[in-house]
Amino acid sequence: MKRAAPTLIVPHNDAHDAHDDDDDAPPAFPALDSAQRAGAGAGAGAGAGSHRGGVATSKADDSSQRKGTPTASKCSLRSLLGVPSAPTPAPAPAMLAAPPRTSALTAPPGVGGASGARLGGGGGAGNSSLAVGGASGKETGGGIRRKVALAPGCSALDWAREKSSGKAELRAGLTSYLRVTPSELARHKSRQDCWTCFNGKVYNLSPYLRFHPGGEKELMRVAGRDGTRLFMLTHSWVNIDAMIDATMIGMMVPEH
Ligand code: HEM
């Protein structure tokens, strides 16, 4: 059978079906009530709508990108979240050029995160506004705020300090790299003992959990398993090695 031309798809968002493949259904990014989405400014709104088309983009959103009108996606999000509509922002001064248009199909590698990755047939139709939520994205239920509030002392800068501290606990007290099988990996999936694998490297996630801008809950979705796919679908622009190299504890090897 002839395959349909690649199109942007909206991932399956029904939390009840989150299983197997859907374990890697990426969450809304930025978070539903992030500063960007709240729309501190028109530019911020545009960022929220276009940052990761594969998750947060629908056809309507995509078309708003093409027209360079972030307002549309912002409004849909507001209505989804039950937020009273804001006054329509004044049109941009005529002298301002439209922002560069990067679609899922034209983005260079690493730009647009999952937007470039989620190609192929299916999905897409039936959701004409910003897609909210991923596997973790239950109904917003009238605007429940789900922005992750990092505890004091858990900023990116704090993590940078922590990871260069050389503390033994970063690497779970290990002094040499391990060869980790999938079944061994699966044994470490509690908050206190949380391992995951990205690109074949095994990391001790426990020390990073409270620093993760997307929250512990999202990060725990990759506990004890290979998180590469979900990571890439969520925010492929994040330099994982630079972020958590200090917590690397080994390499994945096949089951004996
Ligand atoms: C150790 C692996 C991970 C690292 C180092 C990491 C790092 C980051 C960083 C640096 C950001 C901020 C990015 C930005 O604002 O552009 C972020 C945001 C986020 N991450 Fe992760 N992440 C990891 C794994 C995951 C996983 C597995 C998920 C699960 C879905 C996830 C979900 C999110 C979400 C939803 C946000 C958005 C938070 C917001 O909008 O404020 N992350 N992550």
Side-chain angles (χ1 to χ4, degrees):
M1 209 168 91
K2 206 175 159 188
R3 290 201 58 188
T7 54
L8 268 181
I9 63 166
V10 177
H12 191 79
N13 283 334
D14 189 340
H16 300 292
D17 288 351
H19 207 52
D20 298 332
D21 283 355
D22 277 1
D23 281 356
D24 285 338
F29 189 101
L32 294 179
D33 43 8
S34 64
Q36 295 100 310
R37 285 180 188 268
S50 60
H51 215 36
R52 201 198 57 213
V55 170
T57 303
S58 65
K59 286 179 178 173
D61 180 38
D62 189 43
S63 66
S64 77
Q65 274 184 45
R66 266 182 258 121
K67 291 175 203 152
T69 53
T71 319
S73 50
K74 251 172 69 178
C75 288
S76 342
L77 183 66
R78 280 180 181 281
S79 60
L80 272 169
L81 296 176
V83 177
S85 45
T88 311
M95 288 178 64
L96 282 182
R101 287 173 289 120
T102 307
S103 79
L105 294 172
T106 59
V111 173
S115 58
R118 301 300 294 254
L119 302 175
N127 190 344
S128 60
S129 59
L130 273 178
V132 291
S136 63
K138 301 182 182 75
E139 287 301 315
T140 51
I144 298 169
R145 294 194 65 84
R146 295 192 303 163
K147 177 67 182 170
V148 174
L150 295 177
C154 294
S155 69
L157 193 57
D158 292 316
W159 171 246
R161 267 192 223 108
E162 180 77 4
K163 94 183 179 87
S164 53
S165 68
K167 288 180 187 165
E169 71 197 45
L170 286 170
R171 304 186 59 238
L174 297 165
T175 50
S176 60
Y177 289 123
L178 301 177
R179 293 156 61 86
V180 182
T181 59
S183 57
E184 175 65 23
L185 185 68
R187 280 193 276 275
H188 303 268
K189 55 182 181 187
S190 68
R191 281 191 152 73
Q192 297 72 29
D193 178 25
C194 177
W195 293 7
T196 191
C197 155
F198 296 115
N199 303 317
K201 297 177 186 173
V202 181
Y203 298 93
N204 175 28
L205 276 192
S206 296
Y208 180 65
L209 285 173
R210 64 198 172 98
F211 295 91
H212 178 231
E216 290 193 24
K217 194 174 161 211
E218 293 292 358
L219 202 46
M220 283 303 291
R221 291 175 61 196
V222 297
R225 70 180 183 103
D226 191 320
T228 312
R229 186 163 180 268
L230 181 53
F231 181 94
M232 294 305 281
L233 288 174
T234 306
H235 40 36
S236 60
W237 58 90
V238 173
N239 185 336
I240 197 162
D241 278 323
M243 291 290 301
I244 55 169
D245 55 350
T247 70
M248 184 180 161
I249 53 177
M251 299 293 294
M252 285 304 291
V253 294
E255 219 60 65
H256 301 303

PDB file of all heavy atoms in Angstrom, residues 27-31 34 51 147 198 205 208 212-214 218-219 221-222 230-231 234-235 237-238 240 243-244, ligand 1:
ATOM      1  N   PRO A  27       5.799  14.338  27.444  1.00  0.00           N
ATOM      2  CA  PRO A  27       4.867  15.248  28.109  1.00  0.00           C
ATOM      3  C   PRO A  27       4.794  16.579  27.373  1.00  0.00           C
ATOM      4  O   PRO A  27       5.574  16.835  26.466  1.00  0.00           O
ATOM      5  CB  PRO A  27       5.521  15.433  29.481  1.00  0.00           C
ATOM      6  CG  PRO A  27       6.963  15.297  29.201  1.00  0.00           C
ATOM      7  CD  PRO A  27       7.099  14.285  28.095  1.00  0.00           C
ATOM      8  N   ALA A  28       3.871  17.428  27.788  1.00  0.00           N
ATOM      9  CA  ALA A  28       3.791  18.764  27.206  1.00  0.00           C
ATOM     10  C   ALA A  28       5.074  19.504  27.519  1.00  0.00           C
ATOM     11  O   ALA A  28       5.591  19.415  28.624  1.00  0.00           O
ATOM     12  CB  ALA A  28       2.608  19.507  27.803  1.00  0.00           C
ATOM     13  N   PHE A  29       5.587  20.161  26.539  1.00  0.00           N
ATOM     14  CA  PHE A  29       6.814  20.924  26.761  1.00  0.00           C
ATOM     15  C   PHE A  29       6.722  22.251  26.036  1.00  0.00           C
ATOM     16  O   PHE A  29       6.427  22.268  24.860  1.00  0.00           O
ATOM     17  CB  PHE A  29       8.034  20.169  26.239  1.00  0.00           C
ATOM     18  CG  PHE A  29       9.317  20.836  26.648  1.00  0.00           C
ATOM     19  CD1 PHE A  29      10.061  20.348  27.696  1.00  0.00           C
ATOM     20  CD2 PHE A  29       9.751  21.982  26.006  1.00  0.00           C
ATOM     21  CE1 PHE A  29      11.221  20.974  28.093  1.00  0.00           C
ATOM     22  CE2 PHE A  29      10.902  22.616  26.405  1.00  0.00           C
ATOM     23  CZ  PHE A  29      11.650  22.106  27.452  1.00  0.00           C
ATOM     24  N   PRO A  30       6.976  23.369  26.647  1.00  0.00           N
ATOM     25  CA  PRO A  30       7.216  23.504  28.070  1.00  0.00           C
ATOM     26  C   PRO A  30       5.988  23.049  28.871  1.00  0.00           C
ATOM     27  O   PRO A  30       4.930  22.842  28.293  1.00  0.00           O
ATOM     28  CB  PRO A  30       7.437  25.007  28.264  1.00  0.00           C
ATOM     29  CG  PRO A  30       7.732  25.536  26.913  1.00  0.00           C
ATOM     30  CD  PRO A  30       7.039  24.637  25.946  1.00  0.00           C
ATOM     31  N   ALA A  31       6.150  22.930  30.176  1.00  0.00           N
ATOM     32  CA  ALA A  31       5.052  22.487  31.006  1.00  0.00           C
ATOM     33  C   ALA A  31       3.836  23.364  30.743  1.00  0.00           C
ATOM     34  O   ALA A  31       3.955  24.515  30.331  1.00  0.00           O
ATOM     35  CB  ALA A  31       5.454  22.569  32.472  1.00  0.00           C
ATOM     36  N   SER A  34       3.922  26.788  32.134  1.00  0.00           N
ATOM     37  CA  SER A  34       5.235  27.419  32.223  1.00  0.00           C
ATOM     38  C   SER A  34       5.119  28.902  31.917  1.00  0.00           C
ATOM     39  O   SER A  34       4.114  29.369  31.384  1.00  0.00           O
ATOM     40  CB  SER A  34       6.187  26.769  31.222  1.00  0.00           C
ATOM     41  OG  SER A  34       5.710  27.026  29.940  1.00  0.00           O
ATOM     42  N   HIS A  51       7.989  25.194  20.234  1.00  0.00           N
ATOM     43  CA  HIS A  51       9.221  24.579  20.706  1.00  0.00           C
ATOM     44  C   HIS A  51       9.296  23.110  20.339  1.00  0.00           C
ATOM     45  O   HIS A  51      10.308  22.624  19.881  1.00  0.00           O
ATOM     46  CB  HIS A  51       9.286  24.733  22.214  1.00  0.00           C
ATOM     47  CG  HIS A  51      10.682  24.939  22.690  1.00  0.00           C
ATOM     48  ND1 HIS A  51      11.599  25.645  21.993  1.00  0.00           N
ATOM     49  CD2 HIS A  51      11.310  24.528  23.807  1.00  0.00           C
ATOM     50  CE1 HIS A  51      12.741  25.686  22.640  1.00  0.00           C
ATOM     51  NE2 HIS A  51      12.580  24.994  23.746  1.00  0.00           N
ATOM     52  N   LYS A 147       2.902  23.292  37.015  1.00  0.00           N
ATOM     53  CA  LYS A 147       4.288  23.721  36.832  1.00  0.00           C
ATOM     54  C   LYS A 147       5.133  23.164  37.957  1.00  0.00           C
ATOM     55  O   LYS A 147       4.766  23.227  39.126  1.00  0.00           O
ATOM     56  CB  LYS A 147       4.351  25.244  36.830  1.00  0.00           C
ATOM     57  CG  LYS A 147       5.744  25.810  36.718  1.00  0.00           C
ATOM     58  CD  LYS A 147       6.351  25.525  35.395  1.00  0.00           C
ATOM     59  CE  LYS A 147       7.770  26.062  35.298  1.00  0.00           C
ATOM     60  NZ  LYS A 147       8.452  25.573  34.098  1.00  0.00           N
ATOM     61  N   PHE A 198      20.966   6.214  28.802  1.00  0.00           N
ATOM     62  CA  PHE A 198      20.797   7.092  27.648  1.00  0.00           C
ATOM     63  C   PHE A 198      21.931   6.795  26.679  1.00  0.00           C
ATOM     64  O   PHE A 198      23.109   6.828  27.071  1.00  0.00           O
ATOM     65  CB  PHE A 198      20.855   8.571  28.049  1.00  0.00           C
ATOM     66  CG  PHE A 198      19.739   9.010  28.958  1.00  0.00           C
ATOM     67  CD1 PHE A 198      20.005   9.433  30.244  1.00  0.00           C
ATOM     68  CD2 PHE A 198      18.412   9.010  28.528  1.00  0.00           C
ATOM     69  CE1 PHE A 198      18.986   9.848  31.092  1.00  0.00           C
ATOM     70  CE2 PHE A 198      17.383   9.421  29.365  1.00  0.00           C
ATOM     71  CZ  PHE A 198      17.674   9.835  30.637  1.00  0.00           C
ATOM     72  N   LEU A 205      20.516   8.329  38.379  1.00  0.00           N
ATOM     73  CA  LEU A 205      19.677   9.532  38.305  1.00  0.00           C
ATOM     74  C   LEU A 205      19.311  10.104  39.672  1.00  0.00           C
ATOM     75  O   LEU A 205      18.892  11.259  39.763  1.00  0.00           O
ATOM     76  CB  LEU A 205      18.364   9.213  37.568  1.00  0.00           C
ATOM     77  CG  LEU A 205      18.373   9.271  36.049  1.00  0.00           C
ATOM     78  CD1 LEU A 205      16.939   9.227  35.541  1.00  0.00           C
ATOM     79  CD2 LEU A 205      19.067  10.518  35.535  1.00  0.00           C
ATOM     80  N   TYR A 208      20.203  13.584  40.660  1.00  0.00           N
ATOM     81  CA  TYR A 208      19.733  14.648  39.775  1.00  0.00           C
ATOM     82  C   TYR A 208      18.227  14.902  39.903  1.00  0.00           C
ATOM     83  O   TYR A 208      17.746  15.976  39.540  1.00  0.00           O
ATOM     84  CB  TYR A 208      20.081  14.300  38.316  1.00  0.00           C
ATOM     85  CG  TYR A 208      19.623  15.349  37.327  1.00  0.00           C
ATOM     86  CD1 TYR A 208      20.174  16.637  37.346  1.00  0.00           C
ATOM     87  CD2 TYR A 208      18.630  15.066  36.395  1.00  0.00           C
ATOM     88  CE1 TYR A 208      19.743  17.605  36.456  1.00  0.00           C
ATOM     89  CE2 TYR A 208      18.195  16.029  35.504  1.00  0.00           C
ATOM     90  CZ  TYR A 208      18.753  17.302  35.530  1.00  0.00           C
ATOM     91  OH  TYR A 208      18.321  18.256  34.658  1.00  0.00           O
ATOM     92  N   HIS A 212      15.836  18.359  38.300  1.00  0.00           N
ATOM     93  CA  HIS A 212      15.307  18.299  36.937  1.00  0.00           C
ATOM     94  C   HIS A 212      14.203  19.333  36.710  1.00  0.00           C
ATOM     95  O   HIS A 212      13.183  19.317  37.400  1.00  0.00           O
ATOM     96  CB  HIS A 212      14.772  16.880  36.654  1.00  0.00           C
ATOM     97  CG  HIS A 212      14.176  16.766  35.297  1.00  0.00           C
ATOM     98  ND1 HIS A 212      12.922  16.255  35.062  1.00  0.00           N
ATOM     99  CD2 HIS A 212      14.665  17.130  34.079  1.00  0.00           C
ATOM    100  CE1 HIS A 212      12.668  16.289  33.776  1.00  0.00           C
ATOM    101  NE2 HIS A 212      13.709  16.810  33.155  1.00  0.00           N
ATOM    102  N   PRO A 213      14.365  20.203  35.729  1.00  0.00           N
ATOM    103  CA  PRO A 213      13.363  21.251  35.502  1.00  0.00           C
ATOM    104  C   PRO A 213      11.979  20.688  35.173  1.00  0.00           C
ATOM    105  O   PRO A 213      10.977  21.355  35.370  1.00  0.00           O
ATOM    106  CB  PRO A 213      13.928  22.026  34.301  1.00  0.00           C
ATOM    107  CG  PRO A 213      15.376  21.699  34.270  1.00  0.00           C
ATOM    108  CD  PRO A 213      15.518  20.324  34.834  1.00  0.00           C
ATOM    109  N   GLY A 214      11.935  19.498  34.658  1.00  0.00           N
ATOM    110  CA  GLY A 214      10.639  18.891  34.340  1.00  0.00           C
ATOM    111  C   GLY A 214      10.057  18.111  35.510  1.00  0.00           C
ATOM    112  O   GLY A 214       8.963  17.543  35.388  1.00  0.00           O
ATOM    113  N   GLU A 218       8.389  13.078  36.049  1.00  0.00           N
ATOM    114  CA  GLU A 218       8.696  12.802  34.642  1.00  0.00           C
ATOM    115  C   GLU A 218       9.992  12.008  34.529  1.00  0.00           C
ATOM    116  O   GLU A 218      10.094  11.061  33.764  1.00  0.00           O
ATOM    117  CB  GLU A 218       8.818  14.099  33.841  1.00  0.00           C
ATOM    118  CG  GLU A 218       7.530  14.879  33.694  1.00  0.00           C
ATOM    119  CD  GLU A 218       6.509  14.161  32.816  1.00  0.00           C
ATOM    120  OE1 GLU A 218       6.811  13.070  32.287  1.00  0.00           O
ATOM    121  OE2 GLU A 218       5.406  14.696  32.680  1.00  0.00           O
ATOM    122  N   LEU A 219      10.956  12.413  35.293  1.00  0.00           N
ATOM    123  CA  LEU A 219      12.251  11.753  35.205  1.00  0.00           C
ATOM    124  C   LEU A 219      12.151  10.296  35.656  1.00  0.00           C
ATOM    125  O   LEU A 219      12.794   9.406  35.089  1.00  0.00           O
ATOM    126  CB  LEU A 219      13.262  12.527  36.069  1.00  0.00           C
ATOM    127  CG  LEU A 219      14.735  12.358  35.736  1.00  0.00           C
ATOM    128  CD1 LEU A 219      14.984  12.468  34.252  1.00  0.00           C
ATOM    129  CD2 LEU A 219      15.556  13.390  36.477  1.00  0.00           C
ATOM    130  N   ARG A 221      10.003   8.297  35.041  1.00  0.00           N
ATOM    131  CA  ARG A 221       9.432   7.445  33.993  1.00  0.00           C
ATOM    132  C   ARG A 221      10.504   6.610  33.296  1.00  0.00           C
ATOM    133  O   ARG A 221      10.203   5.614  32.655  1.00  0.00           O
ATOM    134  CB  ARG A 221       8.688   8.297  32.958  1.00  0.00           C
ATOM    135  CG  ARG A 221       7.417   8.913  33.501  1.00  0.00           C
ATOM    136  CD  ARG A 221       6.787   9.841  32.506  1.00  0.00           C
ATOM    137  NE  ARG A 221       6.417   9.168  31.262  1.00  0.00           N
ATOM    138  CZ  ARG A 221       6.126   9.796  30.124  1.00  0.00           C
ATOM    139  NH1 ARG A 221       6.149  11.108  30.078  1.00  0.00           N
ATOM    140  NH2 ARG A 221       5.795   9.124  29.052  1.00  0.00           N
ATOM    141  N   VAL A 222      11.747   7.044  33.406  1.00  0.00           N
ATOM    142  CA  VAL A 222      12.803   6.275  32.748  1.00  0.00           C
ATOM    143  C   VAL A 222      13.619   5.469  33.759  1.00  0.00           C
ATOM    144  O   VAL A 222      14.647   4.900  33.425  1.00  0.00           O
ATOM    145  CB  VAL A 222      13.733   7.186  31.909  1.00  0.00           C
ATOM    146  CG1 VAL A 222      12.964   7.851  30.795  1.00  0.00           C
ATOM    147  CG2 VAL A 222      14.407   8.243  32.777  1.00  0.00           C
ATOM    148  N   LEU A 230      12.440   8.562  25.098  1.00  0.00           N
ATOM    149  CA  LEU A 230      11.605   9.571  25.759  1.00  0.00           C
ATOM    150  C   LEU A 230      12.370  10.882  25.921  1.00  0.00           C
ATOM    151  O   LEU A 230      11.830  11.963  25.722  1.00  0.00           O
ATOM    152  CB  LEU A 230      11.134   9.046  27.117  1.00  0.00           C
ATOM    153  CG  LEU A 230      10.227   9.986  27.918  1.00  0.00           C
ATOM    154  CD1 LEU A 230       9.033  10.439  27.093  1.00  0.00           C
ATOM    155  CD2 LEU A 230       9.765   9.310  29.186  1.00  0.00           C
ATOM    156  N   PHE A 231      13.630  10.762  26.251  1.00  0.00           N
ATOM    157  CA  PHE A 231      14.444  11.965  26.397  1.00  0.00           C
ATOM    158  C   PHE A 231      14.475  12.745  25.085  1.00  0.00           C
ATOM    159  O   PHE A 231      14.247  13.960  25.062  1.00  0.00           O
ATOM    160  CB  PHE A 231      15.873  11.587  26.817  1.00  0.00           C
ATOM    161  CG  PHE A 231      16.761  12.782  27.012  1.00  0.00           C
ATOM    162  CD1 PHE A 231      16.913  13.346  28.272  1.00  0.00           C
ATOM    163  CD2 PHE A 231      17.432  13.347  25.943  1.00  0.00           C
ATOM    164  CE1 PHE A 231      17.715  14.462  28.461  1.00  0.00           C
ATOM    165  CE2 PHE A 231      18.232  14.459  26.109  1.00  0.00           C
ATOM    166  CZ  PHE A 231      18.388  15.020  27.371  1.00  0.00           C
ATOM    167  N   THR A 234      11.318  14.388  24.138  1.00  0.00           N
ATOM    168  CA  THR A 234      10.928  15.484  25.018  1.00  0.00           C
ATOM    169  C   THR A 234      11.769  16.733  24.775  1.00  0.00           C
ATOM    170  O   THR A 234      11.240  17.819  24.583  1.00  0.00           O
ATOM    171  CB  THR A 234      11.062  15.071  26.496  1.00  0.00           C
ATOM    172  OG1 THR A 234      10.318  13.879  26.710  1.00  0.00           O
ATOM    173  CG2 THR A 234      10.528  16.161  27.410  1.00  0.00           C
ATOM    174  N   HIS A 235      13.060  16.567  24.779  1.00  0.00           N
ATOM    175  CA  HIS A 235      13.925  17.742  24.608  1.00  0.00           C
ATOM    176  C   HIS A 235      15.286  17.310  24.074  1.00  0.00           C
ATOM    177  O   HIS A 235      16.264  17.239  24.826  1.00  0.00           O
ATOM    178  CB  HIS A 235      14.077  18.522  25.912  1.00  0.00           C
ATOM    179  CG  HIS A 235      14.218  17.691  27.159  1.00  0.00           C
ATOM    180  ND1 HIS A 235      14.886  16.497  27.206  1.00  0.00           N
ATOM    181  CD2 HIS A 235      13.761  17.902  28.414  1.00  0.00           C
ATOM    182  CE1 HIS A 235      14.849  16.018  28.427  1.00  0.00           C
ATOM    183  NE2 HIS A 235      14.157  16.844  29.185  1.00  0.00           N
ATOM    184  N   TRP A 237      17.264  18.886  22.462  1.00  0.00           N
ATOM    185  CA  TRP A 237      18.285  19.938  22.482  1.00  0.00           C
ATOM    186  C   TRP A 237      19.068  19.958  23.794  1.00  0.00           C
ATOM    187  O   TRP A 237      20.081  20.622  23.904  1.00  0.00           O
ATOM    188  CB  TRP A 237      17.635  21.323  22.277  1.00  0.00           C
ATOM    189  CG  TRP A 237      16.596  21.650  23.291  1.00  0.00           C
ATOM    190  CD1 TRP A 237      16.779  22.285  24.476  1.00  0.00           C
ATOM    191  CD2 TRP A 237      15.216  21.332  23.218  1.00  0.00           C
ATOM    192  NE1 TRP A 237      15.587  22.380  25.157  1.00  0.00           N
ATOM    193  CE2 TRP A 237      14.605  21.809  24.400  1.00  0.00           C
ATOM    194  CE3 TRP A 237      14.407  20.697  22.278  1.00  0.00           C
ATOM    195  CZ2 TRP A 237      13.245  21.663  24.659  1.00  0.00           C
ATOM    196  CZ3 TRP A 237      13.055  20.557  22.539  1.00  0.00           C
ATOM    197  CH2 TRP A 237      12.482  21.038  23.710  1.00  0.00           C
ATOM    198  N   VAL A 238      18.605  19.242  24.778  1.00  0.00           N
ATOM    199  CA  VAL A 238      19.325  19.220  26.052  1.00  0.00           C
ATOM    200  C   VAL A 238      20.560  18.326  25.916  1.00  0.00           C
ATOM    201  O   VAL A 238      20.466  17.194  25.452  1.00  0.00           O
ATOM    202  CB  VAL A 238      18.418  18.706  27.195  1.00  0.00           C
ATOM    203  CG1 VAL A 238      19.218  18.524  28.480  1.00  0.00           C
ATOM    204  CG2 VAL A 238      17.253  19.662  27.426  1.00  0.00           C
ATOM    205  N   ILE A 240      22.684  15.982  27.158  1.00  0.00           N
ATOM    206  CA  ILE A 240      22.589  15.050  28.275  1.00  0.00           C
ATOM    207  C   ILE A 240      23.937  14.751  28.902  1.00  0.00           C
ATOM    208  O   ILE A 240      24.059  14.660  30.130  1.00  0.00           O
ATOM    209  CB  ILE A 240      21.882  13.768  27.811  1.00  0.00           C
ATOM    210  CG1 ILE A 240      21.419  12.987  29.019  1.00  0.00           C
ATOM    211  CG2 ILE A 240      22.749  12.919  26.942  1.00  0.00           C
ATOM    212  CD1 ILE A 240      20.389  11.987  28.667  1.00  0.00           C
ATOM    213  N   MET A 243      25.012  17.483  31.058  1.00  0.00           N
ATOM    214  CA  MET A 243      24.174  17.641  32.247  1.00  0.00           C
ATOM    215  C   MET A 243      24.493  16.622  33.345  1.00  0.00           C
ATOM    216  O   MET A 243      24.532  16.963  34.514  1.00  0.00           O
ATOM    217  CB  MET A 243      22.686  17.482  31.884  1.00  0.00           C
ATOM    218  CG  MET A 243      22.103  18.589  31.045  1.00  0.00           C
ATOM    219  SD  MET A 243      21.937  20.134  31.927  1.00  0.00           S
ATOM    220  CE  MET A 243      20.884  19.708  33.283  1.00  0.00           C
ATOM    221  N   ILE A 244      24.657  15.364  32.946  1.00  0.00           N
ATOM    222  CA  ILE A 244      24.752  14.346  34.004  1.00  0.00           C
ATOM    223  C   ILE A 244      25.965  13.425  33.865  1.00  0.00           C
ATOM    224  O   ILE A 244      25.969  12.311  34.384  1.00  0.00           O
ATOM    225  CB  ILE A 244      23.452  13.501  34.071  1.00  0.00           C
ATOM    226  CG1 ILE A 244      23.135  12.877  32.714  1.00  0.00           C
ATOM    227  CG2 ILE A 244      22.290  14.331  34.572  1.00  0.00           C
ATOM    228  CD1 ILE A 244      22.038  11.827  32.796  1.00  0.00           C
TER     229      ILE A 244
HETATM  230  C1  HEM B   1      18.692  12.848  32.945  1.00  0.00           C
HETATM  231  C2  HEM B   1      17.965  13.121  31.911  1.00  0.00           C
HETATM  232  C3  HEM B   1      17.349  14.469  31.732  1.00  0.00           C
HETATM  233  C4  HEM B   1      17.959  15.665  31.802  1.00  0.00           C
HETATM  234  C5  HEM B   1      19.429  15.952  32.036  1.00  0.00           C
HETATM  235  C6  HEM B   1      16.942  16.662  31.577  1.00  0.00           C
HETATM  236  C7  HEM B   1      17.153  18.009  31.563  1.00  0.00           C
HETATM  237  C8  HEM B   1      16.200  18.956  31.338  1.00  0.00           C
HETATM  238  C9  HEM B   1      16.451  20.341  31.159  1.00  0.00           C
HETATM  239  C10 HEM B   1      17.834  20.995  31.140  1.00  0.00           C
HETATM  240  C11 HEM B   1      15.271  20.945  30.965  1.00  0.00           C
HETATM  241  C12 HEM B   1      15.045  22.424  30.663  1.00  0.00           C
HETATM  242  C13 HEM B   1      15.114  22.500  29.149  1.00  0.00           C
HETATM  243  C14 HEM B   1      14.653  23.779  28.543  1.00  0.00           C
HETATM  244  O1  HEM B   1      14.038  24.607  29.233  1.00  0.00           O
HETATM  245  O2  HEM B   1      14.880  23.945  27.323  1.00  0.00           O
HETATM  246  C15 HEM B   1      14.254  19.946  31.063  1.00  0.00           C
HETATM  247  C16 HEM B   1      12.909  20.189  30.961  1.00  0.00           C
HETATM  248  C17 HEM B   1      11.967  19.210  30.946  1.00  0.00           C
HETATM  249  N1  HEM B   1      12.182  17.864  31.001  1.00  0.00           N
HETATM  250 FE1  HEM B   1      13.935  16.947  31.217  1.00  0.00          FE
HETATM  251  N2  HEM B   1      15.747  16.047  31.390  1.00  0.00           N
HETATM  252  C18 HEM B   1      15.960  14.705  31.469  1.00  0.00           C
HETATM  253  C19 HEM B   1      15.038  13.713  31.290  1.00  0.00           C
HETATM  254  C20 HEM B   1      13.713  13.927  31.114  1.00  0.00           C
HETATM  255  C21 HEM B   1      12.761  12.886  30.958  1.00  0.00           C
HETATM  256  C22 HEM B   1      13.070  11.399  30.909  1.00  0.00           C
HETATM  257  C23 HEM B   1      11.563  13.474  30.883  1.00  0.00           C
HETATM  258  C24 HEM B   1      10.303  12.715  30.741  1.00  0.00           C
HETATM  259  C25 HEM B   1       9.402  12.972  29.949  1.00  0.00           C
HETATM  260  C26 HEM B   1      11.743  14.916  30.959  1.00  0.00           C
HETATM  261  C27 HEM B   1      10.757  15.882  30.909  1.00  0.00           C
HETATM  262  C28 HEM B   1      10.979  17.233  30.923  1.00  0.00           C
HETATM  263  C29 HEM B   1       9.936  18.229  30.841  1.00  0.00           C
HETATM  264  C30 HEM B   1       8.446  17.971  30.746  1.00  0.00           C
HETATM  265  C31 HEM B   1      10.554  19.463  30.857  1.00  0.00           C
HETATM  266  C32 HEM B   1       9.876  20.837  30.749  1.00  0.00           C
HETATM  267  C33 HEM B   1       9.840  21.561  32.065  1.00  0.00           C
HETATM  268  C34 HEM B   1       9.228  22.943  31.913  1.00  0.00           C
HETATM  269  O3  HEM B   1       8.498  23.184  30.975  1.00  0.00           O
HETATM  270  O4  HEM B   1       9.517  23.790  32.737  1.00  0.00           O
HETATM  271  N3  HEM B   1      13.073  15.147  31.099  1.00  0.00           N
HETATM  272  N4  HEM B   1      14.845  18.737  31.276  1.00  0.00           N
END
